[in-house]
Amino acid sequence: MTENVLILSIDGGGIRGYIPALILEGIEKLANQKLGKDKPSKSYIPLGGAFDLLGGTSTGGLIALSMALHIEDYCRNSRNRDRGQREEIFYEYKSMKNIVDYYEGRGREIFTSGFNIGPGKTSSQHSEEGIETFLKKELGRETKLADLRKAVGVYTYDLRANRALMLSNKEARTQGVEIGRAERIKLWEAARATAAAPTYFPAIEIDGMLLIDGGVYINNPALDLYLYAREIFPSAQKYLMISLGTGEYRHDYTSCKTSGLYGWFLSGEGLVFNGSGALIEVMMNGMAQAVDAQMRRLESDNSNRLTYLRIQTNLTRNIALDDGTQDNMNMMKSAVKRTLEEASLNRSYKNVISTIIDKLQTSEPVPMNPRL
C-alpha cells in the first residue's frame, strides 16, 4: 500500500504563474537546505521529485509539465554519474529557478504580438509563433507526454468535440484519459493546448482535436486532480494536496450592477479587451473559491483520507494575464514573500513541507525512462 500520495495543483493565470513559481522555488530551497543542499548543484533535488501527481491549468499546466521534465533530467544525470560518464555529457541541472526565469526573463517570448494579429477584438491578441518557439526550446521538440514517468495532468477543451479534456500520461477510466494519445502528443503541444486562452492565443490542432485553454471551465483543478489521484493511486493511506493560486484581487465591482458589454468585458481604459475587465476576474475568483470550499468539505470528512493546503496570494491591484511589466513583477514578488511568511505559521503547511522533505530524502527519484 502506498503510504502518502502527494499532489500538486496549480491554477491558471497567464503571467501570474510567476506567483506559484516563486512559492514553489521557496519550498524547493527550504527542502533542499534541510537536506544539506544549500544551492542548485549536482546533488540538488528538483521539487517535482516529491510529488506523485503534478497538474495544472494553463500557466499552471506549463509549470507542472516543466517540473516533471526536470525530474527526468535529474534521473538521467544520476544514471550517467553511476556509470562514471564524463560530466560534460550531463543534462543541465534544472530547478524551480529555471521556471521562475520563464516569467522574469522570457515572458515576452510567450506574449509576442504578430504584425497581422488583431488586438483581441476580432482575432487572437498574440501570435502562436512566440509561445511555440519558447515551449519547444524548454520542453523539447520531440519529447512525448508518455515519456514522463511522473504522473501529470493538464486541462484543455476540445472545440471540435465540444468537450472538456485532461491530457495525461496515466490511464484513468473516469477522466477519459486515452493512453494511446499520450504516445502521440508532444510535451510542448500539451503545454500549448492548456495555455491557449481564448482571445489571447489561437486554438491548436492536435491529434484531430482543436484545443483551447482549460481555464474556460476548470481554472482551479484541485478537485479533479484529487479524484484523479484516487483512481491512479487507489491504495494510498493518505492524500496530501497543495493547491496554488495565481493571485486574487478583491475589488468592489458594484459599478457593474447595471453594466452591459463594456462594463463587464472591458477595462475602462479603452476599447481593447485586455483581461482586466470585471467578468474575467469574477469568473476566475469564483471558480477558484468554489473548488477551495469543496476541497475543505472533503478534508473535513476523515473517510476521504485528505490533507488539503490552499495557498493563495492577495494582490493590491489586478494584473491582466499578459501584463508582465516590471512594476507588476515586483508587486507579485513582494506579495509572495508575505504569503510564504504567513504560510510558515500554518500547521498544514508545516506538515506538507515535512512530507516533501521525507519524500525527497527517502524515495528514489522515479525510474529513468529508457526511451529518453
Side-chain angles (χ1 to χ4, degrees), residues 14-233:
I15 195 67
R16 282 155 51 172
Y18 185 49
I19 291 170
L22 285 170
I23 291 171
L24 291 166
E25 183 189 29
I27 294 174
E28 183 179 72
K29 285 180 179 178
L30 177 61
N32 274 277
Q33 284 170 1
K34 289 185 178 295
L35 293 173
K37 308 172 194 302
D38 293 333
K39 60 183 179 180
S41 65
K42 300 171 191 177
S43 61
Y44 199 84
I45 306 176
L47 182 62
F51 292 96
D52 300 285
L53 170 62
L54 301 127
T57 297
S58 191
T59 195
L62 170 58
I63 294 172
L65 291 169
S66 299
M67 291 176 71
L69 186 60
H70 288 181
I71 281 297
E72 293 293 343
D73 290 341
Y74 176 79
C75 291
R76 284 180 278 187
N77 285 337
S78 296
R79 182 193 62 175
N80 289 341
R81 189 183 305 110
D82 291 342
R83 292 178 176 179
Q85 294 183 354
R86 300 190 316 276
E87 187 77 10
E88 55 265 29
I89 73 169
F90 283 21
Y91 290 84
E92 178 186 357
Y93 289 93
K94 291 186 177 180
S95 66
M96 284 306 306
K97 178 66 170 63
N98 297 86
I99 299 177
V100 167
D101 286 346
Y102 290 176
Y103 298 95
E104 288 184 341
R106 304 171 189 172
R108 288 180 180 82
E109 290 182 38
I110 299 177
F111 299 107
T112 301
S113 295
F115 290 110
N116 298 320
I117 299 297
K121 291 180 292 184
T122 59
S123 60
S124 301
Q125 194 167 359
H126 300 287
S127 161
E128 67 271 27
E129 182 178 353
I131 189 171
E132 290 186 3
T133 299
F134 168 79
L135 292 175
K136 290 173 185 176
K137 178 181 176 183
E138 295 299 329
L139 301 177
R141 291 178 174 273
E142 299 301 327
T143 306
K144 305 287 200 309
L145 259 179
D147 291 332
L148 299 177
R149 292 295 180 90
K150 184 67 67 174
V152 293
V154 299
Y155 295 85
T156 184
Y157 191 90
D158 184 2
L159 293 177
R160 188 159 287 140
N162 195 22
R163 67 164 180 156
L165 188 69
M166 173 199 275
L167 301 178
S168 184
N169 58 342
K170 302 296 179 183
E171 188 169 10
R173 183 182 65 261
T174 58
Q175 256 66 17
V177 176
E178 300 174 24
I179 286 303
R181 184 164 281 161
E183 296 277 355
R184 299 189 296 272
I185 295 179
K186 299 179 177 66
L187 214 57
W188 75 263
E189 291 177 323
R192 169 75 172 84
T194 192
T199 79
Y200 286 91
F201 294 108
I204 180 172
E205 292 260 6
I206 303 174
D207 200 37
M209 302 176 290
L210 184 61
L211 302 179
I212 61 171
D213 191 328
V216 297
Y217 73 98
I218 192 168
N219 203 57
N220 175 355
L223 177 58
D224 196 69
L225 285 168
Y226 165 64
L227 296 174
Y228 184 40
R230 291 199 61 136
E231 184 159 355
I232 61 177
F233 302 107

Side-chain angles (χ1 to χ4, degrees), residues 270-338:
L271 294 178
V272 178
F273 170 68
N274 67 2
S276 62
L279 187 61
I280 298 298
E281 196 65 20
V282 168
M283 289 175 62
M284 287 179 62
N285 286 349
M287 281 192 283
Q289 292 167 17
V291 172
D292 181 40
Q294 291 160 357
M295 291 298 293
R296 291 182 192 280
R297 287 200 294 271
L298 287 171
E299 184 186 28
S300 67
D301 184 343
N302 292 333
S303 67
N304 290 316
R305 311 191 303 281
L306 171 66
T307 295
Y308 168 71
L309 174 66
R310 172 70 171 173
I311 303 179
Q312 181 62 288
T313 299
N314 293 321
L315 302 177
T316 56
R317 63 176 177 272
N318 193 25
I319 298 176
L321 305 186
D322 62 346
D323 191 2
T325 64
Q326 194 59 52
D327 282 348
N328 284 339
M329 303 301 279
N330 291 340
M331 187 265 279
M332 286 188 280
K333 181 176 281 191
S334 296
V336 166
K337 183 179 179 181
R338 293 192 300 271

Side-chain angles (χ1 to χ4, degrees), residues 4-6 50 52 238 240 307 348-363:
N4 290 324
V5 167
L6 189 57
D52 300 285
K238 188 82 174 178
L240 297 92
T307 295
S348 293
Y349 178 81
K350 293 177 181 178
N351 290 340
V352 168
I353 294 297
S354 177
T355 301
I356 287 173
I357 293 169
D358 288 344
K359 277 183 167 281
L360 290 180
Q361 185 174 32
T362 62
S363 300

